Amino acid sequence: MVNVTEDVFANGAVNPFTKSKDTIKRFTLTNGAGMSVQLITRGATITSIKTPDASGQIDDVTLGFDDLAGYQSEKNPYFGATIGRVCNRIANGSFYLDGKLVEVSKNRDNKFQLHGGFVGFDKAHWEVVEVRGDGVTLSHTNPDGHEGYPGKVTATASFTLSEDNCLHVQMSAVADKTTPVNLTNHSYFNLAGHKSGANGLYEHTIEINAYGITETDQSSIPTGRITPVEGTGFDLRVSSNLGERLKALQPARGYDDNFCVTFSPPQPLAKVARATHPPSGRWLEVVSNQPGVQFYTSNFMPDVERGESPIPGKDGAAYAKHGAFCLETQKFPDSVNHSNFPSTILRPGESYQHEVIYKFGVSH
């Protein structure tokens, strides 16, 4: 049996849209197999995923904070949040939509937009639509003109836990004017345990079912070209040790790339990636209906070797460079400026539907 409980994560949180003081609710989803997931209404954010290892030892395998102040801090690199209206990057914060120039906010170095702008969906206080026996559905209404985007968008994020240790996340949206929409979940995983840092990460193996990556410039803005992974350091189609792959990538800081997922034969859902942590036996498989996945190895978390202070995380954790990985299912970054990429444009009367399943297990 899956069980859902609700409690208060924080009181008196200032809503960035309405300026009212809100209660941030927390939901805990627990199944009979020893897995639990916690999420909060601020940013429809996953704050914890606890799963057993091969010996039955339960640990939290996703990064986060103990309190609201952590999530509100400038140091928070979008831990666990639902990202929108458009995740990833928009070059120059501008694009043409039906022949008309749209200019959105540029929240990165005043050069481009990242993850929806200064106040993205990750900072919104989502409404509770439904609490079910096995999960919860949250909703956010994003006003017309917010961060420069046309149209009001009503988005929902549904989180469901199954008895077989699958976390199903369903993101949907409708709009009253034509606008781009590209949502993702930005959970940071470390199957060795959220506190285990780079040493834990380097023990993982990774496999990504992708035929190419979207080539990018030095600001990680796509050029429009898709580079086949064959014969490159981005060919992760066969499971291999992540620590060794990161060493081989040097001088690059690590992976921060959109991988183009192989859907063959054509199917509604494709296996996107599989990560394993052999010492604990834990594995994570990601399945999705999205054409891309951003594989990110936390390259821009603080570099303690260079004297940078780690991010103070939950349970006394100290998060630093290479301390976790993200597998952000998405349409390709900057699609609004590349007609050869899958379209992110949502028109009135249409429905955006994004399904992703995170399946956890152990190998004995």
Side-chain angles (χ1 to χ4, degrees):
M1 273 288 291
V2 174
N3 186 34
V4 178
T5 59
E6 177 184 334
D7 68 341
V8 171
F9 185 72
N11 281 309
V14 178
N15 187 315
F17 291 87
T18 63
K19 307 304 177 204
S20 63
K21 290 197 169 175
D22 297 346
T23 297
I24 303 299
K25 296 174 181 175
R26 174 169 56 188
F27 295 91
T28 303
L29 287 46
T30 312
N31 70 11
M35 179 171 166
S36 67
V37 175
Q38 289 187 312
L39 55 110
I40 58 173
T41 50
R42 194 229 190 222
T45 296
I46 296 169
T47 58
S48 165
I49 298 176
K50 291 180 178 169
T51 64
D53 69 6
S55 63
Q57 184 77 34
I58 290 176
D59 205 343
D60 195 338
V61 296
T62 188
L63 278 54
F65 298 102
D66 283 322
D67 55 24
L68 184 64
Y71 286 101
Q72 289 174 333
S73 131
E74 290 288 301
K75 287 190 157 185
N76 175 15
Y78 303 93
F79 284 155
T82 299
I83 306 292
R85 180 176 303 195
V86 174
C87 66
N88 220 301
R89 290 152 179 83
I90 292 182
N92 305 311
S94 68
F95 54 93
Y96 281 90
L97 184 58
D98 295 337
K100 190 177 156 200
L101 181 67
V102 175
E103 296 197 76
V104 294
S105 60
K106 293 186 273 195
N107 61 316
R108 275 296 181 271
D109 310 324
N110 200 30
K111 286 183 182 161
F112 60 90
Q113 189 184 86
L114 177 69
H115 291 335
F118 292 98
V119 182
F121 286 18
D122 62 295
K123 295 176 184 68
H125 297 177
W126 291 55
E127 303 283 326
V128 180
V129 177
E130 183 189 24
V131 181
R132 300 180 301 284
D134 58 357
V136 61
T137 301
L138 307 177
S139 171
H140 167 57
T141 302
N142 197 243
D144 183 10
H146 184 67
E147 298 290 332
Y149 287 103
K152 179 177 84 172
V153 166
T154 305
T156 60
S158 166
F159 302 86
T160 308
L161 181 61
S162 71
E163 279 295 359
D164 63 348
N165 289 0
C166 288
L167 173 61
H168 291 249
V169 181
Q170 182 88 36
M171 292 169 270
S172 60
V174 291
D176 66 359
K177 289 182 190 169
T178 300
T179 181
V181 170
N182 192 12
L183 308 183
T184 194
N185 180 274
H186 211 313
S187 287
Y188 284 70
F189 299 104
N190 190 323
L191 301 177
H194 75 106
K195 290 184 182 179
S196 68
N199 290 336
L201 184 85
Y202 298 152
E203 295 170 338
H204 286 63
T205 68
I206 185 71
E207 175 191 336
I208 299 179
N209 174 32
Y211 61 88
I213 60 165
T214 44
E215 180 188 82
T216 56
D217 67 15
Q218 294 191 315
S219 299
S220 297
I221 304 284
T223 62
R225 280 195 288 274
I226 292 171
T227 308
V229 296
E230 182 85 49
T232 73
F234 298 92
D235 190 347
L236 301 172
R237 291 174 296 180
V238 175
S239 180
S240 51
N241 174 265
L242 183 50
E244 289 169 14
R245 297 307 292 258
L246 285 167
K247 271 201 200 99
L249 270 191
Q250 289 172 349
R253 294 175 70 108
Y255 290 99
D256 188 11
D257 298 275
N258 173 68
F259 284 73
C260 309
V261 176
T262 305
F263 280 78
S264 58
Q267 55 201 315
L269 292 170
K271 177 180 162 183
V272 173
R274 182 182 171 98
T276 65
H277 180 248
S280 68
R282 287 191 190 92
W283 53 260
L284 163 64
E285 216 167 83
V286 179
V287 171
S288 163
N289 67 348
Q290 295 297 291
V293 61
Q294 190 83 9
F295 179 47
Y296 174 53
T297 48
S298 306
N299 317 323
F300 297 104
M301 285 213 296
D303 190 343
V304 288
E305 288 179 10
R306 292 186 171 188
E308 295 174 9
S309 301
I311 299 168
K314 60 190 172 187
D315 309 323
Y319 301 136
K321 181 182 170 187
H322 290 172
F325 64 92
C326 303
L327 289 164
E328 306 157 60
T329 52
Q330 61 183 6
K331 288 183 178 164
F332 301 172
D334 198 32
S335 290
V336 286
N337 286 308
H338 303 286
S339 58
N340 57 319
F341 287 3
S343 174
T344 53
I345 303 306
L346 180 66
R347 297 183 184 277
E350 296 176 346
S351 173
Y352 167 89
Q353 295 292 340
H354 179 155
E355 190 174 349
V356 56
I357 301 163
Y358 304 98
K359 182 171 175 62
F360 293 87
V362 288
S363 307
H364 291 280

